[in-house]
Amino acid sequence: MAQVLYMALPVPAKPRKAASSSSSSKPLKLPRRNRSTNISIPTVKGSGRRLLKPQKLNLEVSPHRAVSAVRLMRIELGGAFADLLNEKGKGSGENEMGYVQRTLGFRTRELSHHDLRLVTDIVGGTIRWRRYLDHLINSLCHDKDISSMEPLLLQILRIGFYEVVKLDMPPYAVVDENVELAKVALRPGAGNMVNGILRKLVALKENGTLPLPKVEGDDRAQARALATLHSHPVWMVRRWTKYLGQEEAIKLMIWNNSEPSFSLRANRASGFSRDDLVAQLNALKVPHKLSLYLDEFVRVKTGLQIVIHAGLLKKGLCSVQDESAGLVVSVVDPQPGETIVDGCAAPGGKTLYMASHLSGQGKVFAVDVNSGRLRILKETAKLHQVDGVITAIHADLRTLTDNEQLKSDKVLLDAPCSGLGVLSKRADLRWNRALKDMEELKKLQDELLDAASKLVKPGGVLVYSTCSIDPEENDDRVAAFLVRHPDFRIDPVDRYVPPDFVTSSGFFFSNPVKHSLDGSFAARLVRDS
């Protein structure tokens, strides 16, 4: 262990105070009674060597719980996305332990691959089930309001509750190790509190008497109960019950709380076929199924980390892309020789897939307001060998309406939206959306649609898409657009996607529950000549 720390440990930061809504937070410290080791790490700077401050290595704290607690702190307090953190954390145990060192003031033993998988599971699951877990914590903390609880203490409790209630981990291990984490990262009193609350939870679970609400009363009361039982915001439950009915709303929430599956797209532009991808997955012993709808796609339920570690993505041989996104590209139907504008292109999944259909002939103008993400798109385009047909434009689409050079055969507007169709993959997104956001998003979608329409040549095609399942962001936006732009008409998508995805209005729609894909929408609109 000392050698591992010697090789990779960064220059340490001073232990920080635990973030808290109270100004009386105590500095994080390591109690003397814990078995820890001070390790001096020499580093080279220029031509001289210097001795860094001793590092605290605690061998009793569970590494996956320490890392999970710190990740959850970063997500909730720092605004980082859970899927981004999970992606960066894959295979990067030393990097994760660096965050623990800087946040908690000590390190644990080295993370194994099994530990990293547990971190991904616990972080994603704890975020998904946050409302449910907080209800249980509140019920067992009769004299405390968890809204004023120290953030780190709350995360430790959430982890423990999730492990007991949803992962069915051995109760003694959950209690002992979360207590140890609380004592080391906070203070002995915090550990005692965690011990008492977790033991109450274990007893209630074993007796089958968890304090959960019943779905009864008026519509509002039922929505609140369902929101707690299935861990979603109340406004989402009420909205889905309105549009889908209660039974379908419950099915949707169950889907959102399930472990997500992923799809891989073979990059045909680099000469890598789906057969080649299947051969690689077989060699890696990664379970997979062929897509029922798209020739380049393969579904992967488990083993994505193995694919990433094998370097298939870094080599540009394939990419992670949901089939629903691929079907939106099918609605665009890109053909060699065409010019296409992708109005909100980054991070670029659809851009790259459209470019691969052009066979080196034509042009895709990738427009986005985010320069950083656009830079990543350009780098990925080069890796995927489609950079010759992609031109990146850093701009707000709404400022390009008078640009005659961008008038194109087809325009894809994959608009900013609520993301209500991708909540199974974006576990944190449900807590980062509010009902008031919907009105702002609809206004933005209308403005972008108006701008995108001006870049369509006469006789050309405008495809409007979202990753939302909300009719107000989808059908309603198209209907309002057609009133403002009578020179456009609906082109039914039944020629481009399987009939099971075609709505009565002629739009594409993937239903997460029905199709086991991300929720997605696309309308194909033709401009009269």
Side-chain angles (χ1 to χ4, degrees):
M1 177 60 68
Q3 290 182 342
V4 173
L5 292 173
Y6 174 83
M7 293 296 294
L9 195 82
V11 176
K14 293 181 180 179
R16 298 178 182 175
K17 293 184 178 181
S20 173
S21 57
S22 169
S23 60
S24 61
S25 299
K26 296 182 179 180
L28 298 173
K29 59 184 179 180
L30 186 66
R32 291 181 180 178
R33 69 178 194 84
N34 285 284
R35 180 162 57 91
S36 61
T37 304
N38 289 339
I39 302 176
S40 296
I41 303 122
T43 61
V44 178
K45 186 177 182 181
S47 58
R49 298 174 68 87
R50 62 189 177 92
L51 197 64
L52 301 181
K53 293 181 180 179
Q55 303 305 300
K56 295 187 186 300
L57 171 64
N58 188 291
L59 300 177
E60 293 183 353
V61 171
S62 168
H64 78 260
R65 291 182 175 91
V67 169
S68 295
V70 171
R71 272 203 199 184
L72 289 167
M73 292 273 287
R74 292 169 61 203
I75 292 165
E76 187 161 336
L77 301 179
F81 293 142
D83 57 346
L84 179 62
L85 289 179
N86 285 342
E87 183 65 32
K88 284 187 174 180
K90 287 167 183 169
S92 181
E94 180 62 29
N95 181 56
E96 292 294 334
M97 200 52 66
Y99 281 114
V100 171
Q101 167 69 42
R102 292 191 290 275
T103 306
L104 304 183
F106 65 90
R107 300 170 73 88
T108 73
R109 65 170 171 80
E110 184 180 2
L111 282 161
S112 66
H113 288 304
H114 175 68
D115 289 326
L116 283 167
R117 285 193 294 272
L118 272 175
V119 169
T120 300
D121 188 356
I122 289 172
V123 171
T126 301
I127 294 171
R128 285 188 188 92
W129 289 101
R130 193 178 84 184
R131 185 183 180 94
Y132 176 92
L133 299 172
D134 285 359
H135 170 83
L136 292 177
I137 295 170
N138 257 321
S139 299
L140 299 184
C141 294
H142 302 295
D143 59 340
K144 289 187 178 293
D145 178 5
I146 69 168
S147 65
S148 61
M149 189 178 289
E150 290 171 279
L152 178 57
L153 178 58
L154 179 57
Q155 301 303 347
I156 293 171
L157 284 172
R158 284 172 175 168
I159 290 169
F161 274 57
Y162 178 71
E163 290 177 328
V164 169
V165 177
K166 294 298 180 181
L167 292 186
D168 290 320
M169 285 187 172
Y172 66 88
V174 174
V175 174
D176 289 351
E177 296 192 19
N178 281 290
V179 166
E180 190 67 23
L181 175 58
K183 287 182 177 180
V184 173
L186 291 167
R187 57 194 169 276
N192 294 336
M193 178 183 174
V194 170
N195 181 63
I197 295 173
L198 284 180
R199 288 185 182 279
K200 286 182 187 177
L201 175 70
V202 170
L204 291 172
K205 183 173 184 291
E206 290 177 347
N207 295 331
T209 55
L210 290 175
L212 296 173
K214 294 181 179 180
V215 183
E216 57 188 13
D218 60 18
D219 291 346
R220 287 178 179 272
Q222 290 188 40
R224 286 195 297 271
L226 288 171
T228 296
L229 291 171
H230 298 284
S231 196
H232 280 70
V234 175
W235 74 266
M236 285 187 191
V237 178
R238 298 197 68 188
R239 197 172 185 87
W240 292 337
T241 301
K242 171 186 173 182
Y243 286 121
L244 305 173
Q246 188 178 98
E247 184 178 348
E248 289 302 313
I250 291 172
K251 289 180 181 178
L252 178 59
M253 289 187 285
I254 291 172
W255 165 262
N256 290 341
N257 287 332
S258 63
E259 277 298 308
S261 59
F262 297 88
S263 293
L264 298 173
R265 176 176 65 83
N267 181 21
R268 64 177 180 178
S270 63
F272 192 72
S273 69
R274 183 166 73 173
D275 288 343
D276 295 327
L277 177 56
V278 167
Q280 290 280 351
L281 294 176
N282 285 333
L284 295 170
K285 298 182 179 179
V286 173
H288 58 275
K289 292 182 180 179
L290 299 182
S291 167
L292 300 175
Y293 315 112
L294 295 162
D295 292 340
E296 294 100 332
F297 285 71
V298 175
R299 291 191 184 188
V300 177
K301 184 67 176 178
T302 60
L304 182 60
Q305 291 186 37
I306 297 173
V307 174
I308 293 171
H309 292 322
L312 299 186
L313 275 65
K314 287 184 177 180
K315 296 173 184 176
L317 301 178
C318 65
S319 58
V320 179
Q321 187 169 32
D322 195 79
E323 291 163 75
S324 62
L327 287 165
V328 170
V329 172
S330 296
V331 172
V332 178
D333 189 33
Q335 298 294 325
E338 292 181 335
T339 55
I340 303 171
V341 171
D342 190 347
C344 298
K350 296 181 181 70
T351 310
L352 299 170
Y353 192 28
M354 288 191 297
S356 72
H357 281 74
L358 299 186
S359 302
Q361 305 171 46
K363 184 66 68 176
V364 178
F365 297 102
V367 181
D368 204 89
V369 296
N370 190 312
S371 60
R373 299 176 84 192
L374 203 59
R375 183 175 63 253
I376 294 172
L377 190 159
K378 290 165 65 176
E379 294 169 355
T380 309
K382 188 173 183 179
L383 183 67
H384 283 222
Q385 300 179 34
V386 292
D387 52 312
V389 296
I390 293 178
T391 298
I393 301 174
H394 177 217
D396 185 324
L397 181 68
R398 292 170 292 184
T399 67
L400 300 177
T401 54
D402 296 326
N403 193 320
E404 288 295 323
Q405 294 180 334
L406 287 183
K407 293 284 176 95
S408 297
D409 302 302
K410 292 170 179 173
V411 176
L412 169 62
L413 175 61
D414 188 31
C417 68
S418 65
L420 296 182
V422 296
L423 296 184
S424 68
K425 289 188 174 74
R426 286 292 307 276
D428 59 314
L429 193 57
R430 69 187 72 178
W431 311 120
N432 295 333
R433 286 282 182 260
L435 183 58
K436 65 180 181 179
D437 297 335
M438 303 298 287
E439 293 305 316
E440 296 176 5
L441 283 167
K442 288 189 294 183
K443 181 176 182 293
L444 175 61
Q445 290 155 1
D446 287 344
E447 291 174 356
L448 289 169
L449 264 169
D450 291 342
S453 68
K454 296 178 182 179
L455 299 179
V456 181
K457 292 179 178 178
V461 173
L462 169 61
V463 173
Y464 171 72
S465 71
T466 73
C467 57
S468 175
I469 57 172
D470 195 287
E472 292 187 20
E473 293 186 271
N474 297 336
D475 304 65
D476 290 4
R477 300 280 54 75
V478 175
F481 171 81
L482 292 174
V483 171
R484 297 193 304 274
H485 299 270
D487 54 330
F488 280 83
R489 57 183 171 80
I490 297 172
D491 182 16
V493 301
D494 53 348
R495 291 180 294 160
Y496 307 101
V497 296
D500 198 37
F501 292 94
V502 182
T503 72
S504 58
S505 300
F507 304 142
F508 162 78
F509 182 70
S510 59
N511 183 313
V513 176
K514 180 180 179 181
H515 301 115
S516 296
L517 301 176
D518 287 347
S520 190
F521 169 88
R524 185 179 166 100
L525 309 170
V526 175
R527 186 174 191 175
D528 292 333
S529 301

